[in-house]
Structures are given as structure tokens and as C-alpha cells.
Amino acid sequence: MSSNIEGKVVVITGASSGLGEATARHLVGEGAKLVLGARRLDRIQALAQELNLGTDAAVETDVTDREQVKRLVDAAVAAHGRIDVIINNAGLMPHSPLERGKVDDWDRMIDVNLKGVLYGIAAALPHMTRQKSGHIINVSSVAGHKVRPGSAVYAATKAAVRMLSEGLRQEVKPYNIRTTIISPGAVQSELPQSITETDVAKGIEEFYAAYAIPADSFARMVAFAISQPEDVDVNEILFRPTAQEL
């Protein structure tokens, strides 16, 4: 176990599958105290039971509803007296060319990928500023660094997460709060399943089948950032499968 992870209270959104689930499994092994949020309550309840987290460790959470995100964070504080880390992980990736006008998909990405992160920050920050400690980890993407045809709106939300996180980093220095942006490339998750255009989904599924690396690769990045001494602030991690060119 890492002494700087053991005993820390960690809240994870989007914890029912993929990156969030893998991170929960990894951090439990490092001795963290977890509170899991996701829309699929049955999934996180089963995960909490499997990891022996207790009945209060799974909180039904739709990150597009700021009151639900606040309830998630407040539940962690009520159970453990504090919140040390929040991982704003929930995300969607319904790629499509702009000319197809998939406005509902655009709205969903903005609501989940960007506003969901903002709601996580809004819920955690009052507790962390009061504690004068904490760590906010926001999930961006390789797409937040490089846009490709069909990914314009997704890339825009993930680039926005990077800018938001950098502004946050500068603002929270007086409170001894750390911030990390993690930008994964192709990592095994349910993201391709959120694509609503059949032809686009087929191409992405083939790309992931060829290149995607296990979700535990993301979990190890999270653990690396959290495990650093408190005077070390790992602000950004960008990683890809070794074989992924773009």
C-alpha cells in the first residue's frame, strides 16, 4: 500500500464501468476509502459489495444534476468526515460529423463531459477549502489535445476540461489543493457504446479493438498522481497505447 493513498476518502463519478470501475478496484487495493457515484445504482452497489465498501458507499448519481452530485460528495463527508479526492470521470463520446446535426448528442456531451465536471468541482471545493487540503482529478482525453473529423464537439468538451482545470489549479493554491488532468488515449471502456451513428460506431469499435489498452492503465495514472507527497502537484498526465499514432 502507498502511505499517501491509504485512508484517503475518494469520490469517483462514472464508477459503474470502464475507467471508474477499474480505478475503484485499484484504489481499494491501496487502502483508500471509496464512495462511488453512477446512474446505474445496481452496478455500483454490486461493486461496493464486492469491494467490501459498506452499504453507504454507492450513491445513485446523474452528473447532469448538480444536486445529485452534491448529494454524492456530501454522503462521503457524512460517512468519513472529509473528502480527500474527487475523480470527475463520468463521460460520453457520441462522435459524429457536425453536418449531421446531432444536436441532442452535442447537448449530452456538454452536460456530462463539461457541466458534470463543474458540478463535481462545485460540490467538493467548499469542503476542500475548509479543510485546506484535497485533490481534484478531472478526466480529459487525447481528443482534448488533438481534434479529428467527427470528434469536434467531444474534443471541444475535453479541451474545455483542460482549460477549466488549469484555471482551477491557479485559484486553489491558497488552500493547498492539488489538481490533475488525465488525458487518456484508447483505453477499454464503454465510451464507444455511446456513439449513436452506426457507421461512426463501427469505425471506433474497430479502432478500439486494435489499439485499446486495459482500463487499469488509467487507474495506475490516478494512483500515481494521488500517491505523490503533498508538496508535489502532478498537474497533467497524457498517455496513449504505445501503438496509437494519433
Side-chain angles (χ1 to χ4, degrees):
M1 290 186 181
S2 169
S3 61
N4 210 36
I5 295 179
E6 186 175 1
K8 282 193 169 179
V9 179
V10 181
V11 172
I12 305 174
T13 69
S16 61
S17 65
L19 309 187
E21 179 184 352
T23 300
R25 294 181 183 280
H26 190 94
L27 293 182
V28 160
E30 297 287 345
K33 300 175 181 178
L34 303 183
V35 177
L36 310 176
R39 289 178 299 118
R40 295 177 291 188
L41 182 59
D42 59 330
R43 294 281 292 269
I44 54 174
Q45 284 178 331
L47 180 60
Q49 182 176 12
E50 179 186 345
L51 300 179
N52 296 314
L53 299 178
T55 57
D56 297 330
V59 181
E60 184 175 7
T61 307
D62 181 342
V63 299
T64 68
D65 184 331
R66 62 182 177 181
E67 290 303 320
Q68 291 189 35
V69 181
K70 183 178 185 300
R71 183 180 65 193
L72 170 66
V73 170
D74 289 349
V77 175
H80 301 290
R82 60 186 295 110
I83 174 174
D84 296 300
V85 183
I86 184 168
I87 305 170
N88 291 309
N89 164 70
L92 295 170
M93 192 184 71
H95 286 340
S96 64
L98 289 170
E99 66 183 16
R100 297 190 188 180
K102 302 288 288 186
V103 177
D104 288 344
D105 284 350
W106 303 349
D107 286 342
R108 288 168 60 220
M109 280 187 280
I110 292 167
D111 288 344
V112 174
N113 298 354
L114 180 54
K115 292 171 70 176
V117 170
L118 280 166
Y119 294 159
I121 292 169
L125 207 50
H127 298 291
M128 292 182 176
T129 55
R130 185 182 67 251
Q131 296 167 182
K132 293 196 179 303
S133 69
H135 194 165
I136 297 174
I137 299 177
N138 296 329
V139 181
S140 181
S141 169
V142 166
H145 297 255
K146 184 176 181 63
V147 65
R148 300 282 296 165
S151 70
V153 179
Y154 178 73
T157 63
K158 292 303 188 177
V161 168
R162 292 182 61 223
M163 293 301 101
L164 170 64
S165 301
E166 172 57 16
L168 175 68
R169 180 193 70 80
Q170 296 177 45
E171 291 181 15
V172 298
K173 290 296 121 182
Y175 305 104
N176 194 41
I177 296 171
R178 303 192 293 177
T179 66
T180 302
I181 311 158
I182 303 184
S183 298
V187 176
Q188 291 170 1
S189 73
E190 293 185 356
L191 277 179
Q193 298 176 25
S194 66
I195 300 173
T196 58
E197 297 291 89
T198 304
D199 58 330
V200 178
K202 184 175 185 295
I204 295 296
E205 287 168 2
E206 290 173 352
F207 178 81
Y208 268 63
Y211 295 105
I213 53 180
D216 188 64
S217 61
F218 174 85
R220 293 195 304 273
M221 302 299 171
V222 171
F224 173 78
I226 298 173
S227 67
Q228 299 306 303
E230 294 299 323
D231 61 351
V232 176
D233 191 6
V234 179
N235 300 131
E236 186 156 12
I237 298 173
L238 169 63
F239 75 102
R240 295 173 172 86
T242 303
Q244 181 179 342
E245 181 181 354
L246 300 175

